Amino acid sequence: MGLPEYEVTAVDEVAGQVRIKVRFKGRVSCPHCEGTKLRLKDRRVRRPRHESWGMRRCFLELETRKWRCDSCGRSFWQRFPGILPRLRASEPFRRSVCQKHFDGISRSRLGKREALSSATVERWFGWYLRLLSGEKTSTECPRILGIDEHFFTRRQGYATTFCDLKNHKIHDVVLGRSEASLEGYLHRLAGKDRVEMVCMDLAAGYRALVKKHFPKARIVADRFHVIRIVNHHFMASWKEIDPEGSKHRGLISLMRRHRHNLSPDQHQKLSAYLKEKPVLELIYRFKQRLCYLLKEKHHNQKKCRQLAGRFLRDIAFLRDSGLAQLVQLGNTLHSWREEIACMWRFTRNNGITEGFHTKMEVLQRQAYGFRNFNNYRLRV
Ligand SMILES: [Zn+2]
């Protein structure tokens, strides 16, 4: 039955419903003083819903008694494990309904199938999620942390995800992405000294927060975002040099790619175009070199030192180039040079956090959007 300390005395089927008669075998004691000298006052039958048997709805039939305690003089109705007072469903049944809702069956469909109202399903689900979050073992800060923002609602704006990159788990979700809105949460957070590494995209606000609250942590930039920003500025600068050519769809796709992703045909096509524009060819070559430099990973200290030299020369080249977009890129890379250099030493990136964001979007779609951030957080 999924309940301890009960004995089944009879099972019969009435009008397509299974009725299980059960008897409680445990000892009865006063809930106020634990006394066992009791006198019987009244009796009544409870019929809570229980886990379905296949397609048939299932009810328990359980006699409950009212006792008077001789030690403290108070009266009480007998309590049962797994069937809470005044509830008309047993805990295994509530859990099974919540599990189905968790797996994606909408509450109205579930309500129709199980003869419950959708509001009941929602109320139970809140209880279930609080139960699950209570079972969560560790509340300490993870050693390797991923931080990223994601969109929540139009009214409440963005939320920030704190992700445990080592164990592939979400640590917490907090509403807001600005310093002011995260300050309170980070202030309360326990075990901040444990954090050794924080992975993030190129957001200056997060960097300032991390430096302030995780003094021992090393910040590592996310490779995907660094290469994306290089590509973005390069494409914008191409638009300034050749406004006509940069509208060509085929060329856009070729220019954006890494060199190793081009087929021989595509390579030829691109070379033919670049030959007409020597300045652009120079910039293109430079961008390819820079991207390959940024793709380097898990190197030792000596190799990293060489790479750092190359990287600093590249930044200097960008800042002296005289093209507005490239100068801007050079300045961005300059301000993040330490975090980017950490990418060569470590392999971690924020891909796990981004993957969780996809799952969180699915949750939002399943629920047809959340209004209450606490419900959303609990669900995540
Ligand atoms: Zn008592």
Side-chain angles (χ1 to χ4, degrees), residues 221-365:
D222 183 47
R223 187 168 285 109
F224 167 80
H225 286 97
V226 175
I227 290 187
R228 192 175 66 170
I229 205 170
V230 170
N231 250 337
H232 171 81
H233 285 289
F234 167 70
M235 297 304 265
S237 136
W238 178 26
K239 214 173 196 175
E240 281 173 9
I241 293 169
D242 182 12
E244 279 307 304
S246 63
K247 281 182 193 143
H248 193 293
R249 284 283 179 86
L251 280 177
I252 290 174
S253 152
L254 296 182
M255 288 285 254
R256 197 179 272 151
R257 275 185 238 185
H258 288 303
R259 205 169 43 218
H260 60 255
N261 287 336
L262 292 173
S263 70
D265 272 9
Q266 291 170 329
H267 198 77
Q268 220 169 18
K269 204 171 155 194
L270 189 60
S271 310
Y273 169 71
L274 288 175
K275 212 159 259 169
E276 295 166 19
K277 311 256 189 275
V279 180
L280 197 60
E281 189 173 13
L282 193 76
I283 298 173
Y284 176 77
R285 289 253 165 85
F286 177 79
K287 180 216 126 183
Q288 288 291 341
R289 262 206 321 279
L290 185 60
C291 283
Y292 280 113
L293 176 66
L294 294 172
K295 271 170 74 70
E296 298 281 349
K297 54 186 162 185
H298 35 79
H299 284 304
N300 60 17
Q301 209 173 352
K302 197 176 154 201
K303 177 78 180 173
C304 282
R305 195 160 288 158
Q306 288 172 14
L307 294 175
R310 263 175 69 189
F311 186 51
L312 289 177
R313 280 196 293 281
D314 282 352
I315 289 177
F317 176 85
L318 282 171
R319 294 171 105 184
D320 293 340
S321 65
L323 291 163
Q325 286 291 335
L326 296 188
V327 171
Q328 205 184 336
L329 174 63
N331 289 336
T332 311
L333 293 181
H334 182 74
S335 89
W336 286 88
R337 62 194 185 281
E338 279 175 33
E339 289 80 7
I340 290 173
C342 285
M343 289 187 335
W344 298 322
R345 198 91 169 83
F346 299 102
T347 50
R348 297 280 168 195
N349 63 45
N350 239 349
I352 296 163
T353 316
E354 304 287 348
F356 276 126
H357 284 169
T358 314
K359 289 188 176 175
M360 280 141 84
E361 257 166 50
V362 172
L363 290 183
Q364 287 220 12
R365 294 302 296 268

Side-chain angles (χ1 to χ4, degrees), residues 152-153 156-160 173-178 181-182 373 377:
F152 176 54
T153 57
Q156 299 188 62
Y158 284 80
T160 303
V173 193
V174 187
L175 189 61
R177 58 173 170 174
S178 67
S181 48
L182 294 175
F373 182 75
R377 179 176 167 274

